[in-house]
Amino acid sequence: MTALTQTNPAGQLNRYPPGDLAIWIFILAELAVFAIFFATYAFTRMNNVELFNQFQQHLDRDAALINTLALITSSYFVVRAVAAIREGASQICVRWLLAALGMGVLFLAVKSAEYGHHFSAGINLSTNSFYMFYLSLTFFHFMHVIMGMVILAAVALKARRGGYSIEDHTGVETGASYWHMVDLVWLILFPLVYVMH
Amino acid sequence: MVALTLVTYSIGRLGLSGLDIALGVLLLALIKGHLIGAYFMGLNRVQGFWRWPVTIWLLLPGLLITIAFVLAEG
Amino acid sequence: MQYQSQAVAKPYFIAAIGLFVLQILFGLIMGLQYVVGDFLFPEIPFNVARMVHTNALIIWLLMGFMGAAYYLVPEESETELFSPRLALVTFWVFLAAAVLTVAGYLLVPYATLAELTGNHLLPTMGREFLEQPTITKIGIVVVALAFIFNVGMTVLKGRKTAINLVLLLGLVGLAVLFLFSFYNPTNLVLDKYYWWWVVHLWVEGVWELILGAILAFVLIKVTGVDREVIEKWLYIIIAMALISGIIGTGHHYFWIGVPEYWQWWGSIFSALEPLPFFMMTVFAFNMVNRRRRNHPNRAAVLWALGTAVMAFLGAGVWGFLHTLSPVNYYTHGTQITAAHGHMSFYGAYVMIVLTIISYAMPLLRGRKVAASNKSQVLEMWSFWLMTVAMVFITFFLTAAGILQVHMQRVMDKPLPFMYVQDQIALFYWLREGAGLVFLIGLIVYIASFFIGNNEPEAEVVPST
């Protein structure tokens, strides 16, 4: 993790976060959507505590655990990828990115299995408020995982062609920041929807 | 971070419930989120305006969720 | 004007302004009919006036968008238009279709018009904003296809920039979504469901792409700020517009019989729709503040900034007012909606078309950079007259709407619709007054094209 601080001499702080500032504005907007969703979930639960508690028990916490670990590991791999490109090691960067993508695939697979399980049980958005929120929130996040993976894949392709260097690797940092955001959101989503009651 | 996740998971697994536990789990999540923001995203190396968005983002819904859970109990 | 073929934009702009006048005249007729119910009855019944008012708006905005595309795509692509002749042919077809349709609305009863145009073969008429006879709709599709082909080929053979790609994406989306106007299921819920795919996904989806692209183009031209910076903003703004706008369609699904989750989805996502508009305002002012030069066309700069502000107020703020489902439960279909509709259409789409006209028209008419000072002063007067009048129209309708909601839906003993309408008549009179001021503004606007033509071009005012 200390690798992240190596672009600047020790002790000197940046004015802007890593990556393109544009992606940060976008990240803020995305975070705002999720924040609203989380708060709405919590307040709706307030009026339907028993319903929420009851159906929360039906969720697959093992799957959620695997997914949390998958995303955290994936984020860590991306951190390594950024560290690698900051030293100019394109091919190592690509390998870390591919590893991160692999964890992303694992996440999607596990989550799809969960959805498959719910759908085969005849559960859908109209079943009740809990499932409405659970499915909406996780599916919206699911789409973000896919989006993040597309971005990472694009970055990986460009890195493999040697498109980034020590001097110019904003693209890698941009993709990384977005991916961390996807992870960050899940870290709140997981306890809120799967555990807290 | 993995350790914190495992704690959260075991709480879920054991089926522990109650306000204190729930808020404890939330606190763990917020700490993890902070770690992501500060180290993974590298925001601890940023000063000024952009240092704060992730922290604020964690605290604001965190606060709202806390309020909602507390009210739900009471 | 750098390319000969950009000249085809001119007839589009002129026709757009002509239909704009028609729209405002019928708006005033309707506004009066709100308070003098039998005004011009039976020659022009209220429903016909409303149809002309809304349809003329849509058609002239489309004319404006097409003109804008024909003007800016060659310049962005750095090549002549693929086929200027095709552009002129589609112009006349489109104009003829528009004129015939309006004439049809005015000359024969709507049911007869439906019969005459063979609506029974493929029924698509009779739905708000999509009242056009089926044959007109087919004409619109043909014109749109020819137009997109023409513009698309130009982009393909020339330089591809973010601006012309976003514009093209918006135009293709516009054409594709319009196809849903041909889908007219007998089930009313399904009908409304897909009807919004045209109506909502146009104004809160693909049109925003067109708006963003035109605004970005004009800002590059008048501020001289780096294309790279402006394109980055454009990308963020349209990404936000699409994320919030597409699922935001749900705010129309609250009470039409679709599943309940739309209450949540519609509320949450549409609550974010002001964000891209807010970013657009920040964007426009930021770019103008960072300008590398003072452009002599001050009127165009004013329109561009005005668009950003008024779009945020009209679409963003007035939209947010009633977008949350618990609020909309009371305000649905009241004058609050009308207030929002007026200011958002004016702020976002009328003003962006007037912005590009303001920038391009002097060039199309042979000026080197800008119109004379005298013309510009008039044009800026018209900007303030129309904009302030629209702000007042919105205020009066909002006041009327609040009273209406209260008397008709909130009070313990709600009052009947027509009784409430009588109670709020004062605000309708005031709105009509503001509408007259708007018309004066429009006349001044048109005058600005005829006055000051003999005078020399405006010079750059040294920056203070």
Side-chain angles (χ1 to χ4, degrees), chain A residues 14-47:
Chain A
N14 299 314
R15 271 196 65 206
Y16 293 107
D20 201 311
L21 199 60
I23 198 76
W24 279 92
I25 295 176
F26 195 63
I27 287 176
L28 287 195
E30 297 262 48
L31 287 178
V33 187
F34 278 105
I36 296 174
F37 244 125
F38 290 159
T40 331
Y41 171 91
F43 281 95
T44 311
R45 177 188 175 277
M46 193 175 95
N47 296 318

Side-chain angles (χ1 to χ4, degrees), chain C residues 144-164:
Chain C
L145 283 179
F147 162 69
I148 286 169
F149 169 74
N150 208 348
V151 169
M153 291 304 283
T154 313
V155 173
L156 278 182
K157 74 173 175 161
R159 184 174 66 144
K160 288 140 198 87
T161 66
I163 290 181
N164 59 22

Side-chain angles (χ1 to χ4, degrees), chain C residues 114 117-123 134:
Chain C
T117 55
N119 188 54
H120 58 280
L121 298 172
L122 176 61
T134 305

Side-chain angles (χ1 to χ4, degrees), chain C residues 89-145:
Chain C
V89 170
T90 50
F91 168 75
W92 288 109
V93 172
F94 196 29
L95 186 65
V99 171
L100 284 177
T101 305
V102 171
Y105 289 163
L106 292 173
L107 295 178
V108 294
Y110 190 67
T112 319
L113 181 65
E115 225 169 275
L116 284 175
T117 55
N119 188 54
H120 58 280
L121 298 172
L122 176 61
T124 65
M125 291 175 72
R127 293 171 298 164
E128 196 184 3
F129 309 131
L130 303 180
E131 295 97 344
Q132 310 84 28
T134 305
I135 187 161
T136 306
K137 290 200 182 84
I138 294 172
I140 293 178
V141 172
V142 172
V143 167
L145 283 179

Side-chain angles (χ1 to χ4, degrees), chain C residues 407-460:
Chain C
M407 289 193 269
Q408 204 179 304
R409 295 185 178 166
V410 179
M411 290 204 312
D412 285 343
K413 289 191 182 134
L415 301 167
F417 177 82
M418 283 315 287
Y419 179 79
V420 172
Q421 293 296 308
D422 276 343
Q423 297 298 308
I424 57 183
L426 171 66
F427 290 103
Y428 291 145
W429 277 112
L430 292 169
R431 182 269 297 266
E432 186 72 355
L436 277 174
V437 177
F438 191 96
L439 178 67
I440 295 171
L442 181 56
I443 293 168
V444 174
Y445 177 73
I446 291 169
S448 76
F449 290 101
F450 297 98
I451 295 176
N453 285 341
N454 303 325
E455 304 203 0
E457 286 200 17
E459 305 270 331
V460 177

Side-chain angles (χ1 to χ4, degrees), chain A residues 20 22 25-26 29-30 32-33 36-37 40 44 125-126 132-133 136 140, chain C residues 232-233 236 239-240 243 247 259-261 264-265 268-269 271-272 275 279:
Chain A
D20 201 311
I25 295 176
F26 195 63
E30 297 262 48
V33 187
I36 296 174
F37 244 125
T40 331
T44 311
L125 284 165
S126 301
M132 197 303 278
F133 273 106
S136 304
F140 191 50
Chain C
K232 200 176 285 172
W233 274 91
I236 311 176
M240 278 311 299
I243 289 179
I247 306 182
E260 199 191 334
Y261 53 82
W264 295 105
W265 286 19
I268 292 174
F269 283 90
L272 291 156
L275 268 181
M279 282 154 77

